[in-house]
Amino acid sequence: MKKLGAIILSAVLTAVLASGCANNTENSGNSASGGNTAGGTIKIGADLELTGGQASFGDSVSKGAKLAVDEINAAGGVLGKQLELIVADNASKSEEATQAAQKLITSDKVVTIIGASTSTNTLGIVPVATEKKIPLVSVGATNPKVTVDERSGNVNEYVFRAAFIDPFQGEVMANFALDSLKAKTAVIYTDTSSDYSKGLQKFFEETFKGKGGEVLSQESYQQKDSDFKAVLTRIKAANPDVIYLPGYYEEVGKIVKQAREMGITVPFLGGDGWDSPQLVEIAGAAALDNTFMSNHYSSEDTAHEVTSFVDAYKAANGGAVPDGMAALGYDALKLVADAITRAGEADPAKITEALAATKDLQLATGKITLNDKHDPVKAAVVLKFVDGKQTFETKVNP
Amino acid sequence: MEYFIQQLINGISVGSIYALIALGYTMVYGIIKLINFAHGDVFMVGSFIGLYSAKYLAAAGLPPVVVLLLSLIISMTISACLGISIERLAYKPLRKSTRIAALITAIGVSFLLEYTGVLILGPQAKGFPDIMDKKQVHLFGSSIQVESNQIMILLTTIILMLVLQYIVRYTKTGKAMRAVSFDVEAARLMGINVDRTISATFAIGSALAAAAGVIFGMTYNSVDPLMGVMPGLKAFVAAVLGGIGSIPGALVGGLLLGTVETEISSLGFSSWRDGVAFAVLILILIFRPSGLFGKNVREKV
């Protein structure tokens, strides 16, 4: 029987090893050759979630970024050269994001990388970008430690971002819960496998407690979980005024659906990780009633820069309405293009300098200034779900 | 107390799904001593077939119960065929080679199914249609809630389990299966068609996984090509826990694992859930290396 035990053990180990190094699919848009400016093009890499749990984000970002590239190229390009976007897949995994970035830098010779869509995956790219001295503009990373090294407290010289950071997002939702929803108690239900979720949880809790709210309990789940009834039964017994659920759409959809089926009717609040059409597909429109999320922009906003972006995106993507990630992807690329223009040449060091000096740049998600921590200072919106559609609730300035 | 019972009910419904998948592992292991790692992915394929047939049948205007039964039958039939083809194409040529070769092939087949799924269906999760309206039933006027779906899961599991017991105990195929699992060579000498028996085992195991897939989709409303990985691993643990090769063991192992996980989460240690589940496995393997219901057979040297 010892032999059986050994076989089972080796089987488990093999399975774990195999799944660890599986799926190294990289979709490069182009062949890997040529220098920085060969053939009159400037190459910009995108390290995105084309497959895996956050594939919806990567898809939106790449569509937004492609739109920006097309617009810029149609208007004559940057410094008289055409932009070329090279997209690599990171399979929604941090370690694959590292590999994809290495490939973009060493074989595709890009001058700047945009991506990834999430904090965890961006953190996989940061060491590569820093080592190779290539500027990185994260599209959707909202965790503070992406641009500021956690241990030393120094700003990562080559890392920038297009999204606002978690303290602001967590704060906005805590204030919204206290002021608009008149909530006194909350339960926080965090995705412990995600840095983004833990960041939001921390700053929501600080603000909510700081202003007199009470956090009844902290619960956690992990990505790819599918049964949440045990914890939801616990939350139901605690009976909070609101439930803060700072996770990604796939699990959020399942959680909200199961909670509503169990008769939990209190509002769910979340962040920009909810922003995907799949949330509605998984949870269903009815379950999403009485839920709110903070986001980077609202497609219903009537400001000129928003409407022109929404119209162009719809025209390019068969009428699809751009979500927050699409807007951020568009903005990240415009941010890079602006920096290259100001740098005067497509040289990574000069682009880095120019990026750090970005000021009052008008983009689709608002007017952006990058502060000394390379974080944008800009407005957030709170959206409410009505019949499965995001509707504009309120806009909060920093 | 009511809280505890409520969580027990939650646990049983999770455990039933593990149990259905675990049966496939245990049956295949019992017969050809192969841990079929592709089994979790057959579960995924079953779930997707269920999704599309349910969509199509519901659009055709059939009543919900008929839609459910038909999608179960369609999904189980196609998955049974898939199971047989996997066995014929991937495992049969390796029957005379080492066990580890077959095991690695199983992992290969697993990846093949997963990423073919990603290629064809896309990596994103898809919503499963609501076949039947979910209703909450209060037990004996207390606050304990049972969902109609949870009752359906348990009923389906019990019915399939009874059918399986009947097949294994009283039919010719079942007798052949038991004989082959006892001694392949002797069974062959007695005139049993070993190849056909092995195919039948794969067919039954895959059909059960497909049924679990449809139920899983109905309960959790979300299916994706990589959804089989975790439940597959958990069901494998359940099968080992109950004693791999033993059919009642798979049932007990699945239910035990489901309830342990749920009770851990219900006590507020949700991040410890998987850790404790695997610790239970390690403990049982230390004290009963052949699992709860496993036969303690000495290997011949």
Side-chain angles (χ1 to χ4, degrees):
Chain A
M1 223 60 262
K2 267 187 185 163
K3 200 169 164 191
L4 173 61
I7 287 172
I8 289 166
L9 187 66
S10 61
V12 171
L13 288 178
T14 323
V16 168
L17 278 178
S19 61
C21 49
N23 185 29
N24 186 11
T25 49
E26 282 177 14
N27 287 358
S28 73
N30 242 304
S31 67
S33 65
N36 289 350
T37 52
T41 62
I42 298 174
K43 288 183 179 175
I44 297 175
D47 188 330
L48 296 173
E49 293 74 2
L50 299 180
T51 58
Q54 290 114 34
S56 160
F57 293 163
D59 182 53
S60 289
V61 171
S62 70
K63 281 180 185 154
K66 269 180 196 129
L67 175 65
V69 167
D70 291 345
E71 280 183 8
I72 292 165
N73 285 343
V78 174
L79 306 173
K81 287 173 180 154
Q82 295 280 295
L83 292 183
E84 185 186 339
L85 185 69
I86 301 172
V87 184
D89 181 23
N90 62 31
S92 304
K93 287 180 196 156
S94 176
E95 62 277 12
E96 304 233 1
T98 313
Q99 287 177 19
Q102 270 158 350
K103 174 203 156 266
L104 285 170
I105 296 171
T106 49
S107 65
D108 295 322
K109 311 254 186 263
V110 299
V111 293
T112 306
I113 295 178
I114 65 165
S117 330
T118 69
S119 301
T120 309
N121 297 339
T122 305
L123 284 169
I125 314 177
V126 169
V128 183
T130 308
E131 188 202 324
K132 310 260 180 183
K133 301 195 188 329
I134 295 289
L136 168 70
V137 179
S138 174
V139 177
T142 51
N143 193 305
K145 68 183 180 191
V146 169
T147 49
V148 179
D149 189 84
E150 227 180 354
R151 262 170 256 153
S152 63
N154 294 334
V155 176
N156 288 327
E157 194 185 343
Y158 295 92
V159 186
F160 303 85
R161 68 172 108 217
F164 50 59
I165 55 174
D166 293 337
F168 182 54
Q169 206 178 169
E171 210 182 300
V172 164
M173 282 327 262
N175 285 330
F176 178 77
L178 290 161
D179 303 338
S180 305
L181 299 175
K182 309 283 175 223
K184 291 188 179 60
T185 54
V187 165
I188 306 178
Y189 195 7
T190 323
D191 173 358
T192 43
S193 50
S194 142
D195 292 325
Y196 157 80
S197 190
K198 285 189 276 189
L200 251 66
Q201 169 248 322
K202 182 172 161 227
F203 297 108
F204 177 90
E205 193 180 352
E206 270 176 24
T207 315
F208 196 75
K209 277 185 177 164
K211 295 198 173 171
E214 191 192 345
V215 175
L216 298 176
S217 75
Q218 297 264 13
E219 304 294 340
S220 65
Y221 65 90
Q222 277 161 36
Q223 270 169 51
K224 293 280 156 203
D225 277 1
S226 46
D227 190 281
F228 302 93
K229 292 211 170 93
V231 172
L232 286 171
T233 304
R234 215 175 123 77
I235 294 177
K236 197 181 176 193
N239 196 21
D241 291 338
V242 294
I243 300 168
Y244 189 54
L245 186 56
Y248 294 120
Y249 57 89
E250 200 176 323
E251 288 80 19
V252 168
K254 295 182 212 171
I255 292 172
V256 173
K257 173 100 182 171
Q258 289 176 28
R260 296 298 190 228
E261 280 168 11
M262 291 169 59
I264 298 175
T265 52
V266 298
F268 277 92
L269 311 177
D272 56 342
W274 285 27
D275 192 16
S276 162
Q278 291 205 289
L279 178 64
V280 186
E281 194 187 327
I282 295 170
L288 285 170
D289 276 349
N290 207 15
T291 58
F292 303 86
M293 62 181 275
S294 53
N295 205 357
H296 304 273
Y297 103 121
S298 161
S299 57
E300 291 183 348
D301 200 333
T302 48
H304 168 70
E305 65 275 9
V306 177
T307 51
S308 64
F309 162 68
V310 171
D311 291 344
Y313 187 92
K314 277 185 179 168
N317 294 292
V321 178
D323 53 16
M325 281 294 168
L328 286 174
Y330 178 86
D331 278 7
L333 209 111
K334 286 268 168 114
L335 206 61
V336 173
D338 169 70
I340 298 175
T341 314
R342 281 186 290 111
E345 65 175 296
D347 170 59
K350 289 194 175 144
I351 298 173
T352 309
E353 262 174 51
L355 271 171
T358 303
K359 198 169 185 323
D360 289 337
L361 178 65
Q362 185 63 59
L363 298 170
T365 61
K367 199 175 260 185
I368 290 191
T369 300
L370 292 181
N371 66 13
D372 55 354
K373 288 180 176 156
H374 297 181
D375 298 328
V377 178
K378 61 175 182 177
V381 293
V382 176
L383 304 172
K384 181 184 186 177
F385 280 91
V386 177
D387 295 331
K389 288 199 178 62
Q390 299 175 0
T391 51
F392 185 66
E393 180 83 10
T394 171
K395 193 166 188 167
V396 188
N397 283 306
Chain B
M1 191 60 202
E2 283 185 357
Y3 178 76
F4 180 79
I5 295 173
Q6 176 75 64
Q7 295 289 17
L8 200 65
I9 293 170
N10 292 339
I12 289 172
S13 71
V14 178
S16 309
I17 291 175
Y18 290 158
L20 276 180
I21 312 175
L23 280 172
Y25 275 111
T26 232
M27 287 172 68
V28 168
Y29 186 86
I31 292 216
I32 51 170
K33 304 284 175 282
L34 165 74
I35 294 160
N36 179 15
F37 274 108
H39 195 62
D41 302 297
V42 174
F43 158 81
M44 175 273 290
V45 172
S47 192
F48 269 100
I49 297 169
L51 185 155
Y52 288 111
S53 45
K55 262 191 188 163
Y56 181 78
L57 293 169
L62 293 168
V65 182
V66 181
V67 173
L68 172 65
L69 287 178
L70 277 180
S71 7
L72 265 177
I73 292 168
I74 294 173
S75 163
M76 287 169 77
T77 316
I78 300 181
S79 302
C81 298
L82 176 71
I84 295 173
S85 4
I86 289 175
E87 197 273 326
R88 280 285 148 94
L89 297 174
Y91 303 146
K92 198 180 166 203
L94 292 170
R95 208 169 286 157
K96 293 271 180 289
S97 33
T98 55
R99 274 204 210 169
I100 197 77
L103 191 75
I104 291 179
T105 310
I107 294 171
V109 174
S110 162
F111 285 142
L112 180 73
L113 289 178
E114 283 167 20
Y115 292 99
T116 311
V118 171
L119 194 70
I120 298 173
L121 304 159
Q124 310 219 353
K126 292 188 170 45
F128 203 89
D130 282 324
I131 301 179
M132 292 215 271
D133 283 335
K134 290 176 187 166
K135 288 197 192 77
Q136 302 287 344
V137 185
H138 285 270
L139 275 191
F140 318 119
S142 63
S143 69
I144 301 170
Q145 281 181 335
V146 184
E147 200 178 88
S148 51
N149 219 343
Q150 287 174 322
I151 300 174
M152 193 222 43
I153 293 177
L154 199 62
L155 280 181
T156 317
T157 313
I158 292 173
I159 292 170
L160 289 174
M161 211 68 78
L162 290 176
V163 172
L164 185 66
Q165 279 296 342
Y166 173 79
I167 293 176
V168 173
R169 294 206 168 271
Y170 301 108
T171 62
K172 235 176 181 174
T173 324
K175 282 178 188 159
M177 279 160 74
R178 281 188 288 153
V180 173
S181 85
F182 204 71
D183 190 327
V184 179
E185 291 312 315
R188 204 191 303 272
L189 289 173
M190 293 300 124
I192 290 170
N193 188 336
V194 172
D195 285 340
R196 211 166 70 204
T197 311
I198 292 174
S199 290
T201 313
F202 269 86
I204 295 171
S206 304
L208 291 174
V214 176
I215 294 173
F216 185 93
M218 282 179 66
T219 317
Y220 303 125
N221 289 86
S222 157
V223 291
D224 68 275
L226 302 183
M227 67 186 261
V229 180
M230 244 357 236
L233 200 61
K234 290 280 176 63
F236 171 60
V237 171
V240 175
L241 203 69
I244 196 151
S246 148
I247 290 174
L251 178 67
V252 173
L255 291 176
L256 185 68
L257 193 69
T259 32
V260 165
E261 275 188 17
T262 314
E263 292 298 341
I264 296 297
S265 303
S266 76
L267 295 172
F269 303 106
S270 34
S271 40
W272 287 83
R273 187 199 56 200
D274 290 353
V276 172
F278 286 99
V280 169
L281 172 73
I282 292 171
L283 282 178
I284 289 188
L285 284 184
I286 288 173
F287 293 109
R288 280 195 67 94
S290 50
L292 291 175
F293 288 70
K295 278 169 285 182
N296 211 345
V297 190
R298 227 170 252 147
E299 296 256 336
K300 275 171 256 167
V301 186

